[in-house]
Amino acid sequence: MKCCLLISLVFFIIVVNSGTRINLLLPQLPLGKYRLNFISIIPRCISIQSKNKILFDLYLSKKSAIIAEIKGNITNLIPVDDSLNLEFNLAIKDSTGDWKENAHVHKSTKSCSSLKMFFGNAWTPIMDNLGFLNATCPIPAGFYKMKGVDSELFNISNFPKTFFYGTYRFRFYYTKNNEVYGCFMIVIEIKRPWETDN
């Protein structure tokens, strides 16, 4: 009997001290297929000093309770090419309404190619909407007017098909040599497909 208890205790210590405890650090939120509800766009990241080489002047226009269009313009003072990095940083709103920073962080080198990969089948309609027909990388310097990108387009992108439900502040920025060249934020709800919007 003592031998069995000792073996159980050793097994328990090995499991607790193994990599399986990493799962305890994941958000304690349900995970699954989702739909996006766009809440707002913040055209500048106030808390980040930017070199202002890529300027975003975007806003949301609601078409219905669940569909929004992204409108506005983007001014590239430099080409968006693969010498830049593409970074995403998600803060999640907790149960008390505070933002918990760095809930999810992603950094890609080769920003233009990475953006094209993330957008997947949505790349061409988004670029066409900006007036950049038959878009490839790099995206040249210039002024691009967004006539209205339907939020439903993100359903055909290569973003993950399952995610943790909640409200996120999604910070999107271009960097080079640890300097920010342009940044904007979108506040979105990741909801169960059948949930209604408030």
Side-chain angles (χ1 to χ4, degrees), residues 45 48 56 85-89 105-106 171-175 180-184:
C45 300
I48 293 179
F56 299 95
N85 299 314
L86 177 66
E87 300 191 37
F88 306 134
N89 188 315
V105 176
H106 176 83
R171 189 170 66 209
F172 169 99
Y173 51 111
Y174 292 105
T175 62
V180 177
Y181 277 53
C183 179
F184 75 95

Side-chain angles (χ1 to χ4, degrees), residues 2-16:
K2 288 181 181 177
C3 181
C4 288
L5 285 173
L6 181 60
I7 291 170
S8 296
L9 179 62
V10 170
F11 178 76
F12 176 77
I13 290 170
I14 289 170
V15 169
V16 167

Side-chain angles (χ1 to χ4, degrees), residues 55-140:
L55 305 169
F56 299 95
D57 188 15
L58 303 173
Y59 64 94
L60 277 183
S61 174
K62 286 282 193 177
K63 290 174 68 177
S64 71
I66 60 172
I67 299 174
E69 283 186 329
I70 302 171
K71 294 183 175 183
N73 57 69
I74 301 170
T75 305
N76 296 344
L77 301 176
I78 58 170
V80 175
D81 59 22
D82 284 346
S83 70
L84 298 171
N85 299 314
L86 177 66
E87 300 191 37
F88 306 134
N89 188 315
L90 278 72
I92 187 166
K93 189 179 276 192
D94 67 14
S95 59
T96 62
D98 293 326
W99 291 106
K100 298 296 182 190
E101 299 293 336
N102 304 316
H104 301 278
V105 176
H106 176 83
K107 181 175 181 177
S108 295
T109 57
K110 300 183 177 180
S111 67
C112 189
S113 296
S114 295
L115 189 63
K116 188 174 181 180
M117 184 275 302
F118 278 122
F119 280 162
N121 291 332
W123 169 264
T124 298
I126 290 172
M127 292 296 127
D128 287 354
N129 189 281
L130 284 167
F132 186 28
L133 304 177
N134 303 313
T136 59
C137 290
I139 300 170

Side-chain angles (χ1 to χ4, degrees), residues 158-198:
N158 288 332
F159 286 103
K161 300 306 178 198
T162 60
F163 207 74
F164 297 98
Y165 301 120
T167 301
Y168 293 88
R169 188 175 61 208
F170 179 98
R171 189 170 66 209
F172 169 99
Y173 51 111
Y174 292 105
T175 62
K176 187 173 184 177
N177 300 325
N178 295 318
E179 293 183 291
V180 177
Y181 277 53
C183 179
F184 75 95
M185 294 187 289
I186 297 179
V187 178
I188 56 172
E189 287 180 307
I190 295 181
K191 306 184 85 162
R192 291 170 181 85
W194 60 87
E195 275 187 280
T196 59
D197 295 320
N198 298 330

